[in-house]
Amino acid sequence: MVRKKVPDWLNSSLWSSSQSSPPSSAMANPFEPPPRAPSPAVVSPSEPSPPSVQDPPPTQRIEAPPSKDHANAFPSAHDVSRQAQLLAELSRKVVDMSELRSLACQGIPDAAGIRATVWKLLLGYLPPDRGLWSSELAKKRSQYKQFKEDILMNPSEITRKMYNSTNCDTDDANCERALLSRSEITQGEHPLSLGKTSVWNQFFQDTEIIDQIDRDVKRTHPDMHFFSGDSQFAKSNQDALKNVLIIFAKLNPGVRYVQGMNEILAPLFYVLKNDPDEENAAFAEADAFFCFVELLSGFRDNFVQQLDNSVVGIRATITRLSQLLREHDEELWRHLEVTSKVNPQFYAFRWITLLLTQEFNFADSLHIWDTLLSDPDGPQETLLRVCCAMLVLVRKRLLAGDFTSNLKLLQNYPTTNISHLLYVANKFRVQSV
Amino acid sequence: MAVADAFDEQCDYLFKAVLIGDSGVGKSNLISRFAIDEFRFDSKPTIGVEFAYRNIKVRDKLIKAQIWDTAGQERFRAITSSYYRGALGAMLVYDITKRATFVNVSKWLHELREFGGEDMVVVLVGNKSDLGPSREVETEEGKGFAETEGLCFMETSALQNMNVDEAFLEMITKIHDIISQKSLETKMNGTALSVPGGKEIHIADEVTATKQVNCCS
């Protein structure tokens, strides 16, 4: 399957990485090959507590490292060997992407920040050539810094800048004070100006979207200390999410901010922020921004209202899920959509737009994302197969159910064995001849 | 008064109703207060649509109220328009501490009238009445608007469980009365709506098929 074409507005030269910097593989690379990583110093920040404790506060339960199977807190031999294989792959001079994909597809171990690096590679944020990593990261991070300065500045700062540049050539020292007493802002840039081009007019329009982002960021994973609560840590993480979403909305006037984007950004930021490499963790906001852009390039159309009725919009995507189900389980499809009249929009809209982040617990979502990001068919194709597998896994209950019970089941999907779910989904792959 | 989990066929009526209004006005909490008597300070934004139901006795009839909760952001309206199909009632919610959400009520009403059925019972609800000190919309304003537009009106607090059941009950009772009236008229015209067992079923079209399978096969 061919990856969907990236739309024009995401192709803005602002962030397309021109592979200009010459490969300097001889240079010392600040990103040490991960084989060093599994030293005691690099246990992931949330100290792996035995998840067997029965009654932890909800936050801890979720933030504890995901255990593959309910009973065992320790990684299985299989996990250990996959971790070793992944680390070996990441330490190559040029990462073999197809090899990496096939390893990551089975789930990425949580230790040693592997997931952070692998996701960056899978999303195309890091190039396969390790020699390019440091220059690429430096470039992107400074670009993001510039976005922040240009976009997050509030109008009084912009007008002050204008004022400074026009009036303060000679008298720098008095600028600030002059502004405090009575600043001579040009008529067009007065807050009460009605001019359409006024920075303030733009500001007031933006306020609505910023309020919405603010409301939603505050409601992101309310059960996790990382995202929620009064701690300084949670607050700074919320600020990071907010910045990324505002900058994205401003740079993409065709998409702006749509409710639910916070849910897609959250896992990215969480994974990057928990990278044991301190420098990477410190730049998690910038890196998450670009990863978010890369990820959305495959899903963006689902968020655009103008495309709802087009062949690439959310309705068409949901129809493809319905067709996939019909292809693989006609009986279930018939019962669900014809007999019990459950319009797939009623459950699949959220499944698809949020990439399943609200259907499973956080750890399970990460596991699903490992597969979504690494499957060579691309995230959306893979997502549709996983959604189809979710339906098939509860087929008995669905076949016995009516409209009410089926919708209830699909809007509150039961806890399930994710490895099995992904295994079933994989069987729906279009058999290539 | 709620019967925990009656089967569809044990109910006399199945009513579909929708909740609409701006993002963050408390729609999801109103619904969860009504359906399962729960309030969450940390509820997540609703994406797409969710639904809940509760069985209620109104004038000796057991009614299953199926309440649909929709996302507040404008982007979702194109998608949610299909959710109005078959809805007999709507609760249009604003936040009494945010004037903008009250200003937008007319937009929502416009949409309701475009997509909803003619006889739809609409209740205008000013939520968060527990936050009196931050009030930006006076009760009289809400009431006045509702009167002009021919809507029912109530101020509620999902947090303090004030008027929540009352608002839903008013809507459901009104729906019931309209349906009974219609049913009576139909009978007088000679075409009975009754199904086997003497029950009269009025439902959203999504559910009609299910009911027919349950009741008529």
Side-chain angles (χ1 to χ4, degrees):
Chain A
M1 201 82 207
V2 187
R3 251 172 187 269
K4 192 137 39 85
K5 236 176 71 189
V6 176
D8 292 335
W9 59 67
L10 277 168
N11 271 336
S12 155
S13 59
L14 284 169
W15 50 51
S16 66
S17 60
S18 51
Q19 300 280 0
S20 54
S21 44
S24 51
S25 44
M27 268 169 54
N29 191 331
F31 293 86
E32 282 299 331
R36 283 173 163 214
S39 71
V42 280
V43 185
S44 60
S46 53
E47 205 56 41
S49 57
S52 53
V53 183
Q54 269 314 298
D55 212 14
T59 43
Q60 273 176 16
R61 196 183 65 243
I62 286 169
E63 282 179 294
S67 55
K68 290 279 151 5
D69 300 302
H70 313 279
N72 199 348
F74 301 100
S76 67
H78 185 64
D79 283 348
V80 170
S81 85
R82 192 164 64 246
Q83 177 169 337
Q85 283 174 300
L86 277 165
L87 287 169
E89 192 53 55
L90 291 177
S91 64
R92 289 162 66 128
K93 206 169 127 242
V94 177
V95 176
D96 179 341
M97 288 305 289
S98 66
E99 187 59 31
L100 186 74
R101 283 179 189 283
S102 76
L103 285 169
C105 220
Q106 306 156 48
I108 302 171
D110 294 283
I114 299 177
R115 183 176 270 131
T117 311
V118 173
W119 280 16
K120 284 179 194 165
L121 279 157
L122 292 173
L123 285 164
Y125 178 54
L126 282 178
D129 186 341
R130 275 225 343 265
L132 299 174
W133 286 7
S134 71
S135 60
E136 194 59 33
L137 287 173
K139 198 171 74 193
K140 288 289 176 48
R141 287 165 179 174
S142 88
Q143 201 174 42
Y144 183 76
K145 188 165 168 261
Q146 194 60 46
F147 288 153
K148 265 179 105 162
E149 281 167 16
D150 293 347
I151 291 170
L152 298 184
M153 194 161 52
N154 75 43
S156 23
E157 283 175 64
I158 295 177
T159 45
R160 196 188 67 206
K161 260 199 171 176
M162 288 177 178
Y163 176 75
N164 284 357
S165 58
T166 51
N167 300 326
C168 291
D169 293 340
T170 50
D171 198 3
D172 283 339
N174 287 329
C175 271
E176 298 285 326
R177 220 172 305 136
L179 183 80
L180 285 175
S181 56
R182 180 164 161 260
S183 53
E184 286 179 59
I185 294 169
T186 57
Q187 189 55 40
E189 298 303 348
H190 191 275
L192 297 179
S193 150
L194 296 174
K196 280 268 181 280
T197 55
S198 144
V199 289
W200 282 98
N201 183 292
Q202 184 62 40
F203 173 74
F204 290 130
Q205 278 184 12
D206 293 343
T207 308
E208 192 184 330
I209 213 90
I210 291 171
D211 283 350
Q212 183 71 60
I213 289 172
D214 194 45
R215 264 199 303 277
D216 291 350
V217 162
K218 283 185 186 140
R219 297 192 281 177
T220 304
H221 293 291
D223 46 358
M224 292 176 70
H225 284 317
F226 182 88
F227 293 108
S228 182
D230 295 327
S231 72
Q232 202 49 49
F233 181 57
K235 288 259 184 297
S236 74
N237 290 335
Q238 285 183 1
D239 284 343
L241 295 181
K242 225 175 118 173
N243 292 341
V244 169
L245 293 169
I246 293 172
I247 292 171
F248 180 86
K250 292 277 280 182
L251 290 176
N252 293 272
V255 188
R256 304 242 283 173
Y257 169 74
V258 179
Q259 285 194 287
M261 285 182 175
N262 57 319
E263 301 285 345
I264 295 183
L265 174 60
L268 290 172
F269 180 70
Y270 176 88
V271 165
L272 303 191
K273 186 76 185 174
N274 282 308
D275 190 327
D277 178 303
E278 280 177 18
E279 190 186 354
N280 283 341
F283 284 102
E285 181 184 323
D287 295 351
F289 171 78
F290 291 101
C291 287
F292 180 69
V293 170
E294 295 288 350
L295 180 58
L296 268 204
S297 71
F299 289 100
R300 170 220 64 254
D301 295 345
N302 294 333
F303 286 102
V304 183
Q305 189 168 347
Q306 288 79 3
L307 296 177
D308 277 348
N309 295 316
S310 77
V311 290
V312 292
I314 182 67
R315 281 177 206 230
T317 309
I318 291 172
T319 303
R320 284 173 56 216
L321 169 61
S322 168
Q323 285 163 349
L324 193 64
L325 177 67
R326 189 173 185 180
E327 220 170 277
H328 292 282
D329 193 339
E330 169 114 23
E331 185 193 3
L332 179 58
W333 173 83
R334 192 165 297 281
H335 178 79
L336 200 56
E337 292 189 25
V338 182
T339 310
S340 72
K341 298 261 180 196
V342 174
N343 181 338
Q345 271 185 23
F346 296 159
Y347 58 90
F349 185 88
R350 191 177 73 194
W351 288 10
I352 292 171
T353 52
L354 300 190
L355 276 66
L356 296 175
T357 50
Q358 266 186 21
E359 316 311 319
F360 301 99
N361 71 45
F362 194 70
D364 284 349
S365 311
L366 297 186
H367 187 175
I368 292 174
W369 276 36
D370 289 339
T371 301
L372 296 186
L373 299 182
S374 55
D375 194 292
D377 285 350
Q380 180 136 304
E381 290 303 313
T382 315
L383 175 68
L384 292 181
R385 288 201 291 263
V386 176
C387 291
C388 186
M390 286 168 67
L391 295 168
V392 171
L393 283 185
V394 292
R395 81 185 299 274
K396 259 192 175 165
R397 290 168 69 179
L398 290 174
L399 287 174
D402 61 4
F403 175 83
T404 305
S405 61
N406 283 348
L407 203 51
K408 223 176 150 189
L409 177 66
L410 296 176
Q411 289 191 348
N412 306 280
Y413 197 82
T415 308
T416 193
N417 179 322
I418 300 298
S419 300
H420 182 61
L421 172 69
L422 295 172
Y423 171 79
V424 174
N426 193 45
K427 293 211 290 194
F428 298 146
R429 193 179 292 278
V430 182
Q431 301 299 324
S432 49
V433 192
Chain B
M1 90 178 118
V3 180
D5 209 347
F7 291 107
D8 287 2
E9 54 266 37
Q10 292 170 334
C11 300
D12 299 301
Y13 294 105
L14 180 49
F15 291 164
K16 173 178 174 179
V18 294
L19 254 74
I20 52 172
D22 280 4
S23 150
V25 298
K27 297 183 292 296
S28 301
N29 267 321
L30 279 169
I31 221 172
S32 66
R33 176 63 85 191
F34 172 68
I36 51 174
D37 197 14
E38 212 177 84
F39 180 91
R40 296 181 64 104
F41 281 101
D42 60 357
S43 68
K44 289 177 160 230
T46 308
I47 303 299
V49 65
E50 289 174 26
F51 92 135
Y53 65 90
R54 183 172 140 184
N55 298 316
I56 293 174
K57 266 235 144 75
V58 174
R59 305 201 207 291
D60 283 340
K61 298 280 187 193
L62 184 57
I63 292 175
K64 185 185 197 112
Q66 187 187 76
I67 319 273
W68 292 74
D69 185 12
T70 56
Q73 199 184 21
E74 175 142 18
R75 183 262 170 278
F76 295 98
R77 293 194 196 175
I79 288 290
T80 51
S81 61
S82 65
Y83 302 144
Y84 294 125
R85 201 178 305 141
L88 302 170
M91 205 171 256
L92 207 178
V93 189
Y94 65 91
D95 174 352
I96 64 150
T97 70
K98 292 214 169 62
R99 172 153 287 277
T101 66
F102 180 67
V103 172
N104 279 338
V105 160
S106 7
K107 271 199 222 166
W108 285 107
L109 198 58
H110 182 77
E111 182 174 299
L112 260 186
R113 289 184 171 149
E114 188 175 343
F115 296 110
E118 266 180 44
D119 291 328
M120 198 187 254
V121 174
V122 183
V123 183
L124 181 65
V125 169
N127 192 34
K128 309 199 184 178
S129 63
D130 51 284
L131 298 175
S134 333
R135 181 186 280 276
E136 287 182 6
V137 184
E138 293 306 320
T139 311
E140 290 310 315
E141 275 181 278
K143 209 182 236 170
F145 182 87
E147 268 164 25
T148 318
E149 297 289 343
L151 320 172
C152 311
F153 174 75
M154 216 167 264
E155 282 193 351
T156 60
S157 163
L159 171 69
Q160 292 179 342
N161 200 3
M162 285 280 294
N163 272 348
V164 177
D165 274 7
E166 287 78 355
F168 279 99
L169 278 175
E170 172 155 6
M171 176 173 76
I172 292 162
T173 310
K174 276 238 158 64
I175 294 174
H176 172 267
D177 293 348
I178 290 177
I179 292 294
S180 309
Q181 183 60 35
K182 272 199 158 180
S183 173
L184 197 67
E185 284 166 14
T186 317
K187 271 180 192 155
M188 306 238 291
N189 294 335
T191 44
L193 268 180
S194 319
V195 292
K199 291 174 183 170
E200 298 156 55
I201 316 264
H202 292 269
I203 34 188
D205 57 359
E206 281 88 355
V207 196
T208 311
T210 320
K211 295 293 291 192
Q212 282 166 351
V213 167
N214 288 339
C215 306
C216 310
S217 57

